[in-house]
Amino acid sequence: MTLREQFEKREHQLFRACASFSDQTRGRDHAEEKCDIRTDYQRDRDRIIHCKAFRRMKHKTQVFLAPGGDHYRTRLTHTLEVAQIARTIARALQLNEDLTEAIALGHDLGHTPFGHAGERALSKYTSKPFCHNEQSVRVVERLEKDGRGLNLTWEVRDGIRNHKTSGKPSTLEGAIVRVSDKIAYVNHDIDDGIRAGILSESMLPSDCTDLLGHSTRDRINNLIHAMLTYSMERDCIGLPKDYEQALSELRKYMFRDLYTNPVAKSEEVKAERVIGMLYEEYIEHIELLPEEFLMLIGEGEEKETVVCDYIAGMTDNYAVEMAGKLFIPKSW
Protein backbone atom coordinates (compact mmCIF):
# COMPACT_ATOMS: atom_id res chain seq x y z
CA MET A 1 0.00 0.00 0.00
CA THR A 2 1.42 3.38 -1.01
CA LEU A 3 1.61 6.36 1.34
CA ARG A 4 -1.19 8.00 -0.61
CA GLU A 5 -3.44 4.99 -0.09
CA GLN A 6 -2.61 5.01 3.62
CA PHE A 7 -3.60 8.71 3.82
CA GLU A 8 -6.83 8.02 1.93
CA LYS A 9 -7.66 5.16 4.32
CA ARG A 10 -6.93 7.40 7.31
CA GLU A 11 -9.34 10.02 5.99
CA HIS A 12 -12.20 7.51 6.28
CA GLN A 13 -11.18 6.85 9.89
CA LEU A 14 -10.89 10.52 10.92
CA PHE A 15 -13.39 12.50 8.86
CA ARG A 16 -17.14 12.82 9.27
CA ALA A 17 -19.31 11.05 6.71
CA CYS A 18 -20.22 14.40 5.11
CA ALA A 19 -16.56 15.24 4.32
CA SER A 20 -15.04 15.20 0.84
CA PHE A 21 -12.79 12.14 0.69
CA SER A 22 -9.74 12.26 -1.56
CA ASP A 23 -10.40 8.84 -3.06
CA GLN A 24 -13.94 9.90 -4.03
CA THR A 25 -13.07 13.03 -6.02
CA ARG A 26 -14.92 13.64 -9.27
CA GLY A 27 -11.46 13.79 -10.76
CA ARG A 28 -9.60 15.97 -13.21
CA ASP A 29 -10.48 17.07 -16.74
CA HIS A 30 -7.45 15.14 -17.99
CA ALA A 31 -6.69 11.76 -16.44
CA GLU A 32 -3.21 11.35 -15.01
CA GLU A 33 -1.29 8.85 -12.95
CA LYS A 34 -1.83 9.08 -9.19
CA CYS A 35 0.98 10.29 -6.93
CA ASP A 36 2.37 7.59 -4.66
CA ILE A 37 2.85 10.03 -1.75
CA ARG A 38 0.16 12.71 -1.91
CA THR A 39 -3.61 12.58 -2.19
CA ASP A 40 -5.22 14.42 -5.10
CA TYR A 41 -6.12 17.41 -2.92
CA GLN A 42 -2.61 17.64 -1.47
CA ARG A 43 -1.31 17.61 -5.01
CA ASP A 44 -3.68 20.42 -6.01
CA ARG A 45 -2.55 22.54 -3.07
CA ASP A 46 1.09 22.10 -4.09
CA ARG A 47 0.40 22.96 -7.72
CA ILE A 48 -1.29 26.21 -6.68
CA ILE A 49 1.57 27.21 -4.37
CA HIS A 50 4.13 26.61 -7.14
CA CYS A 51 2.24 28.43 -9.92
CA LYS A 52 3.23 31.87 -11.22
CA ALA A 53 -0.14 33.48 -10.47
CA PHE A 54 0.28 32.63 -6.78
CA ARG A 55 3.65 34.41 -6.61
CA ARG A 56 2.28 37.49 -8.35
CA MET A 57 -0.29 38.06 -5.60
CA LYS A 58 2.43 39.45 -3.33
CA HIS A 59 2.43 42.59 -5.50
CA LYS A 60 -1.34 42.98 -5.87
CA THR A 61 -3.48 45.38 -3.84
CA GLN A 62 -5.77 44.15 -1.08
CA VAL A 63 -7.27 47.50 0.06
CA PHE A 64 -4.53 50.11 0.11
CA LEU A 65 -2.92 50.87 -3.24
CA ALA A 66 0.90 50.64 -3.08
CA PRO A 67 0.96 51.32 0.68
CA GLY A 68 4.06 52.95 2.13
CA GLY A 69 4.26 50.68 5.17
CA ASP A 70 5.48 47.09 5.15
CA HIS A 71 2.68 45.73 7.33
CA TYR A 72 -0.36 46.36 5.15
CA ARG A 73 -1.98 43.28 3.64
CA THR A 74 -1.48 42.31 0.02
CA ARG A 75 -3.56 39.87 -1.99
CA LEU A 76 -1.07 37.14 -1.02
CA THR A 77 -1.11 37.75 2.74
CA HIS A 78 -4.91 37.93 2.61
CA THR A 79 -4.91 34.52 0.90
CA LEU A 80 -2.65 33.04 3.58
CA GLU A 81 -4.88 34.39 6.35
CA VAL A 82 -7.96 32.88 4.70
CA ALA A 83 -6.16 29.54 4.41
CA GLN A 84 -5.17 29.61 8.09
CA ILE A 85 -8.72 30.35 9.29
CA ALA A 86 -10.25 27.80 6.91
CA ARG A 87 -7.81 25.06 7.91
CA THR A 88 -8.51 25.61 11.59
CA ILE A 89 -12.25 25.25 10.99
CA ALA A 90 -11.92 22.23 8.69
CA ARG A 91 -9.74 20.36 11.16
CA ALA A 92 -12.05 21.10 14.08
CA LEU A 93 -15.09 19.93 12.08
CA GLN A 94 -13.29 16.76 10.95
CA LEU A 95 -13.55 17.71 7.28
CA ASN A 96 -10.90 17.56 4.56
CA GLU A 97 -8.23 20.08 5.51
CA ASP A 98 -6.21 19.53 2.32
CA LEU A 99 -9.16 20.31 0.05
CA THR A 100 -10.04 23.34 2.16
CA GLU A 101 -6.49 24.67 1.98
CA ALA A 102 -6.24 24.15 -1.78
CA ILE A 103 -9.45 26.11 -2.38
CA ALA A 104 -8.33 28.90 -0.04
CA LEU A 105 -4.91 29.24 -1.64
CA GLY A 106 -6.42 29.40 -5.13
CA HIS A 107 -9.49 31.53 -4.53
CA ASP A 108 -7.97 34.90 -5.57
CA LEU A 109 -5.49 33.84 -8.27
CA GLY A 110 -7.47 35.73 -10.91
CA HIS A 111 -7.65 39.05 -9.10
CA THR A 112 -6.70 42.13 -11.11
CA PRO A 113 -4.03 44.68 -10.22
CA PHE A 114 -5.28 47.49 -7.96
CA GLY A 115 -7.80 45.22 -6.23
CA HIS A 116 -11.49 45.68 -6.97
CA ALA A 117 -10.73 48.95 -8.79
CA GLY A 118 -9.12 46.88 -11.54
CA GLU A 119 -12.09 44.54 -11.61
CA ARG A 120 -14.47 47.50 -11.99
CA ALA A 121 -12.33 49.02 -14.74
CA LEU A 122 -12.28 45.86 -16.85
CA SER A 123 -16.04 45.48 -16.40
CA LYS A 124 -16.52 48.98 -17.84
CA TYR A 125 -14.55 48.23 -20.98
CA THR A 126 -15.62 44.68 -21.77
CA SER A 127 -18.94 43.35 -23.03
CA LYS A 128 -19.53 41.30 -19.85
CA PRO A 129 -18.72 41.86 -16.16
CA PHE A 130 -15.26 40.80 -15.10
CA CYS A 131 -15.51 38.46 -12.10
CA HIS A 132 -12.31 37.56 -10.29
CA ASN A 133 -13.68 34.21 -9.10
CA GLU A 134 -14.34 33.08 -12.67
CA GLN A 135 -10.95 34.44 -13.70
CA SER A 136 -9.31 32.43 -10.91
CA VAL A 137 -10.84 29.28 -12.40
CA ARG A 138 -9.63 30.31 -15.86
CA VAL A 139 -6.12 30.76 -14.46
CA VAL A 140 -5.97 27.19 -13.15
CA GLU A 141 -7.84 25.62 -16.09
CA ARG A 142 -6.29 27.47 -19.03
CA LEU A 143 -3.64 30.09 -18.39
CA GLU A 144 -1.06 28.47 -16.16
CA LYS A 145 1.71 26.26 -17.57
CA ASP A 146 1.73 27.96 -21.00
CA GLY A 147 -1.95 27.34 -21.69
CA ARG A 148 -2.15 23.80 -20.34
CA GLY A 149 -3.56 24.77 -16.91
CA LEU A 150 -2.95 23.01 -13.61
CA ASN A 151 -5.50 20.23 -14.20
CA LEU A 152 -6.96 20.53 -10.70
CA THR A 153 -9.72 18.35 -9.31
CA TRP A 154 -13.36 19.31 -9.82
CA GLU A 155 -13.91 20.01 -6.11
CA VAL A 156 -11.08 22.54 -5.88
CA ARG A 157 -12.27 24.40 -8.97
CA ASP A 158 -15.86 24.40 -7.67
CA GLY A 159 -14.72 25.90 -4.37
CA ILE A 160 -12.70 28.61 -6.11
CA ARG A 161 -15.60 29.53 -8.40
CA ASN A 162 -18.11 29.72 -5.54
CA HIS A 163 -16.11 31.50 -2.84
CA LYS A 164 -17.97 34.81 -3.28
CA THR A 165 -20.85 35.70 -0.97
CA SER A 166 -23.35 34.82 -3.70
CA GLY A 167 -21.68 31.46 -4.39
CA LYS A 168 -23.01 28.03 -3.48
CA PRO A 169 -20.09 25.60 -3.09
CA SER A 170 -20.85 21.93 -3.66
CA THR A 171 -18.64 20.77 -0.78
CA LEU A 172 -18.58 21.66 2.90
CA GLU A 173 -14.90 22.46 2.49
CA GLY A 174 -15.75 25.04 -0.17
CA ALA A 175 -18.40 26.49 2.14
CA ILE A 176 -15.78 26.87 4.88
CA VAL A 177 -13.57 28.93 2.54
CA ARG A 178 -16.52 31.08 1.47
CA VAL A 179 -17.19 32.16 5.08
CA SER A 180 -13.51 32.26 6.07
CA ASP A 181 -12.78 34.70 3.25
CA LYS A 182 -15.32 37.13 4.68
CA ILE A 183 -14.11 36.65 8.27
CA ALA A 184 -10.54 37.33 7.13
CA TYR A 185 -10.98 40.37 4.92
CA VAL A 186 -13.49 42.23 7.11
CA ASN A 187 -11.23 41.90 10.14
CA HIS A 188 -7.80 42.37 8.60
CA ASP A 189 -9.08 45.32 6.57
CA ILE A 190 -10.25 46.91 9.84
CA ASP A 191 -6.75 46.30 11.19
CA ASP A 192 -5.19 47.98 8.14
CA GLY A 193 -7.69 50.83 8.35
CA ILE A 194 -6.67 51.46 11.96
CA ARG A 195 -3.00 51.26 10.97
CA ALA A 196 -3.66 53.89 8.30
CA GLY A 197 -5.36 56.21 10.79
CA ILE A 198 -8.67 56.09 8.90
CA LEU A 199 -10.52 53.92 11.43
CA SER A 200 -10.43 53.30 15.17
CA GLU A 201 -12.06 50.63 17.29
CA SER A 202 -14.37 53.26 18.79
CA MET A 203 -15.69 54.16 15.33
CA LEU A 204 -16.96 50.63 14.60
CA PRO A 205 -20.70 49.99 15.13
CA SER A 206 -21.04 48.99 18.78
CA ASP A 207 -23.97 46.64 18.18
CA CYS A 208 -21.58 44.54 16.06
CA THR A 209 -18.46 44.74 18.21
CA ASP A 210 -20.33 44.08 21.47
CA LEU A 211 -21.13 40.63 20.07
CA LEU A 212 -18.12 39.92 17.86
CA GLY A 213 -15.38 41.51 19.98
CA HIS A 214 -13.43 44.73 20.36
CA SER A 215 -10.19 43.69 18.62
CA THR A 216 -9.26 41.92 15.38
CA ARG A 217 -7.99 38.93 17.36
CA ASP A 218 -11.15 38.62 19.46
CA ARG A 219 -13.50 38.99 16.48
CA ILE A 220 -11.76 36.29 14.45
CA ASN A 221 -11.61 33.98 17.46
CA ASN A 222 -15.28 34.51 18.34
CA LEU A 223 -16.45 34.05 14.76
CA ILE A 224 -14.51 30.80 14.42
CA HIS A 225 -15.98 29.47 17.67
CA ALA A 226 -19.49 30.53 16.62
CA MET A 227 -19.04 28.83 13.25
CA LEU A 228 -17.85 25.62 14.92
CA THR A 229 -20.75 25.61 17.37
CA TYR A 230 -23.27 26.11 14.57
CA SER A 231 -21.74 23.59 12.13
CA MET A 232 -20.56 20.82 14.47
CA GLU A 233 -23.83 18.89 14.55
CA ARG A 234 -25.04 19.89 11.08
CA ASP A 235 -24.16 18.77 7.58
CA CYS A 236 -23.82 22.41 6.56
CA ILE A 237 -21.51 25.34 7.25
CA GLY A 238 -22.64 28.67 8.65
CA LEU A 239 -22.91 31.10 11.53
CA PRO A 240 -25.68 31.60 14.09
CA LYS A 241 -28.11 34.25 12.85
CA ASP A 242 -26.98 36.94 15.28
CA TYR A 243 -23.31 36.45 14.33
CA GLU A 244 -24.11 36.31 10.63
CA GLN A 245 -26.08 39.54 10.88
CA ALA A 246 -23.37 41.29 12.93
CA LEU A 247 -20.67 40.27 10.42
CA SER A 248 -22.88 41.43 7.55
CA GLU A 249 -23.48 44.80 9.21
CA LEU A 250 -19.77 45.20 9.90
CA ARG A 251 -19.05 44.39 6.25
CA LYS A 252 -21.57 47.04 5.14
CA TYR A 253 -19.89 49.55 7.44
CA MET A 254 -16.52 48.74 5.85
CA PHE A 255 -17.88 49.29 2.35
CA ARG A 256 -19.29 52.62 3.41
CA ASP A 257 -16.43 53.97 5.54
CA LEU A 258 -13.25 52.28 4.28
CA TYR A 259 -13.61 50.67 0.86
CA THR A 260 -15.06 53.90 -0.56
CA ASN A 261 -13.19 56.27 1.77
CA PRO A 262 -11.65 59.14 -0.25
CA VAL A 263 -8.38 58.92 1.70
CA ALA A 264 -7.92 55.19 1.12
CA LYS A 265 -9.25 55.30 -2.42
CA SER A 266 -7.87 58.62 -3.67
CA GLU A 267 -5.63 56.93 -6.23
CA GLU A 268 -8.20 54.43 -7.50
CA VAL A 269 -9.54 56.79 -10.18
CA LYS A 270 -6.04 56.89 -11.66
CA ALA A 271 -5.73 53.12 -11.35
CA GLU A 272 -8.99 52.60 -13.25
CA ARG A 273 -7.78 54.94 -15.98
CA VAL A 274 -4.52 53.00 -16.29
CA ILE A 275 -6.45 49.73 -16.69
CA GLY A 276 -8.78 51.32 -19.25
CA MET A 277 -5.90 52.77 -21.26
CA LEU A 278 -4.09 49.45 -21.29
CA TYR A 279 -7.21 47.61 -22.39
CA GLU A 280 -7.92 49.99 -25.27
CA GLU A 281 -4.28 49.93 -26.41
CA TYR A 282 -4.03 46.13 -26.47
CA ILE A 283 -7.39 45.73 -28.19
CA GLU A 284 -6.28 48.20 -30.88
CA HIS A 285 -2.75 46.76 -31.15
CA ILE A 286 -3.11 43.08 -30.35
CA GLU A 287 0.41 42.43 -31.65
CA LEU A 288 1.77 44.05 -28.46
CA LEU A 289 0.66 41.07 -26.38
CA PRO A 290 3.31 38.51 -25.37
CA GLU A 291 3.59 35.42 -27.55
CA GLU A 292 1.85 33.12 -25.08
CA PHE A 293 -1.30 35.27 -25.26
CA LEU A 294 -1.17 35.61 -29.04
CA MET A 295 -1.05 31.81 -29.11
CA LEU A 296 -4.38 31.71 -27.24
CA ILE A 297 -5.97 33.92 -29.89
CA GLY A 298 -4.50 31.69 -32.57
CA GLU A 299 -6.20 28.74 -30.88
CA GLY A 300 -9.60 30.44 -31.19
CA GLU A 301 -9.91 32.41 -27.95
CA GLU A 302 -11.74 35.76 -28.20
CA LYS A 303 -9.47 38.79 -28.39
CA GLU A 304 -11.36 40.56 -25.59
CA THR A 305 -10.95 37.59 -23.26
CA VAL A 306 -7.22 37.27 -23.89
CA VAL A 307 -6.57 40.99 -23.35
CA CYS A 308 -8.38 40.67 -20.01
CA ASP A 309 -6.25 37.61 -19.20
CA TYR A 310 -3.07 39.60 -19.74
CA ILE A 311 -4.14 42.69 -17.80
CA ALA A 312 -5.71 40.73 -14.93
CA GLY A 313 -2.46 38.81 -14.51
CA MET A 314 -0.41 41.99 -14.05
CA THR A 315 0.83 43.12 -10.67
CA ASP A 316 0.22 46.72 -9.62
CA ASN A 317 3.81 47.68 -10.41
CA TYR A 318 3.87 45.95 -13.77
CA ALA A 319 0.63 47.66 -14.87
CA VAL A 320 2.13 51.06 -14.02
CA GLU A 321 5.37 50.12 -15.77
CA MET A 322 3.57 49.05 -18.95
CA ALA A 323 1.46 52.22 -18.94
CA GLY A 324 4.68 54.22 -18.72
CA LYS A 325 6.23 52.37 -21.65
CA LEU A 326 3.14 52.73 -23.82
CA PHE A 327 2.00 56.27 -23.02
CA ILE A 328 4.91 58.30 -21.57
CA PRO A 329 7.31 59.69 -24.19
CA LYS A 330 11.02 59.05 -23.67
CA SER A 331 13.63 61.76 -23.74
CA TRP A 332 15.54 62.06 -27.01
Side-chain angles (χ1 to χ4, degrees):
M1 182 182 289
T2 65
L3 281 173
R4 171 184 55 78
E5 290 170 328
Q6 291 178 42
F7 291 144
E8 291 172 344
K9 182 178 179 180
R10 190 183 304 168
E11 287 182 359
H12 286 277
Q13 296 169 346
L14 296 177
F15 295 168
R16 292 159 61 189
C18 55
S20 300
F21 296 97
S22 300
D23 60 356
Q24 295 176 2
T25 172
R26 295 195 194 183
R28 309 179 187 278
D29 282 348
H30 308 288
E32 55 185 64
E33 187 177 347
K34 296 278 188 180
C35 178
D36 61 335
I37 299 174
R38 298 166 297 168
T39 68
D40 282 348
Y41 299 143
Q42 288 177 312
R43 209 173 184 187
D44 284 356
R45 176 202 60 202
D46 295 349
R47 289 179 181 182
I48 290 168
I49 288 175
H50 287 284
C51 78
K52 292 186 293 185
F54 186 81
R55 297 194 292 275
R56 289 198 299 269
M57 287 195 294
K58 67 181 177 180
H59 294 304
K60 291 193 176 191
T61 291
Q62 174 60 23
V63 173
F64 292 94
L65 191 73
D70 292 333
H71 298 138
Y72 291 94
R73 270 76 170 186
T74 65
R75 190 61 56 181
L76 179 60
T77 57
H78 158 72
T79 293
L80 296 176
E81 291 184 29
V82 173
Q84 178 270 319
I85 291 170
R87 285 180 54 208
T88 297
I89 294 167
R91 183 180 295 184
L93 293 177
Q94 295 175 279
L95 298 174
N96 197 314
E97 189 177 339
D98 294 325
L99 171 58
T100 305
E101 185 177 23
I103 295 169
L105 292 174
H107 82 279
D108 269 356
L109 290 176
H111 237 299
T112 58
F114 312 124
H116 289 286
E119 196 171 12
R120 288 194 302 269
L122 284 179
S123 293
K124 289 178 184 177
Y125 284 89
T126 56
S127 60
K128 57 184 179 181
F130 181 91
C131 300
H132 76 272
N133 58 318
E134 294 293 344
Q135 186 68 17
S136 296
V137 175
R138 181 164 168 79
V139 166
V140 300
E141 287 185 344
R142 187 75 169 100
L143 300 180
E144 277 292 327
K145 296 182 72 174
D146 300 321
R148 299 192 303 276
L150 301 180
N151 197 29
L152 303 182
T153 56
W154 182 91
E155 291 80 6
V156 172
R157 288 176 286 141
D158 172 80
I160 291 173
R161 175 176 282 112
N162 289 288
H163 79 268
K164 292 177 67 176
T165 301
S166 59
K168 294 182 179 179
S170 299
T171 65
L172 296 183
E173 290 80 4
I176 287 174
V177 174
R178 177 180 168 274
V179 181
S180 298
D181 182 34
K182 196 181 302 182
I183 292 173
Y185 76 69
V186 168
N187 286 290
H188 66 48
D189 291 352
I190 289 174
D191 189 46
D192 280 355
I194 292 172
R195 179 172 289 106
I198 296 171
L199 298 179
S200 67
E201 278 291 335
S202 62
M203 294 168 62
L204 302 177
S206 59
D207 55 334
C208 297
T209 56
D210 286 346
L211 177 65
L212 300 181
H214 294 280
S215 70
T216 297
R217 175 187 178 276
D218 286 346
R219 282 188 291 273
I220 292 176
N221 185 58
N222 289 336
L223 282 163
I224 289 174
H225 277 83
M227 195 168 164
L228 294 179
T229 300
Y230 179 88
S231 308
M232 192 70 73
E233 302 301 327
R234 294 178 171 89
D235 290 348
C236 64
I237 302 298
L239 289 163
K241 282 190 176 181
D242 52 347
Y243 279 84
E244 184 176 25
Q245 184 175 353
L247 181 60
S248 178
E249 288 301 317
L250 196 55
R251 181 171 175 264
K252 289 177 183 176
Y253 170 83
M254 294 295 288
F255 272 94
R256 186 177 65 250
D257 284 57
L258 180 64
Y259 301 143
T260 57
N261 184 286
V263 176
K265 297 299 166 181
S266 57
E267 297 298 298
E268 280 198 355
V269 173
K270 299 176 187 176
E272 290 187 28
R273 287 175 182 164
V274 166
I275 296 292
M277 291 165 64
L278 289 173
Y279 180 83
E280 290 182 332
E281 185 72 6
Y282 288 123
I283 284 290
E284 186 71 23
H285 301 284
I286 203 72
E287 70 279 2
L288 295 175
L289 291 176
E291 184 60 36
E292 62 192 279
F293 292 92
L294 293 175
M295 183 178 66
L296 292 175
I297 296 174
E299 293 174 355
E301 296 273 8
E302 292 184 3
K303 184 167 65 171
E304 177 183 285
T305 299
V306 175
V307 170
C308 283
D309 289 338
Y310 183 46
I311 294 175
M314 293 180 177
T315 62
D316 296 8
N317 294 336
Y318 187 71
V320 172
E321 179 185 339
M322 292 308 297
K325 287 182 178 180
L326 291 171
F327 307 120
I328 306 299
K330 295 180 181 179
S331 301
W332 181 255

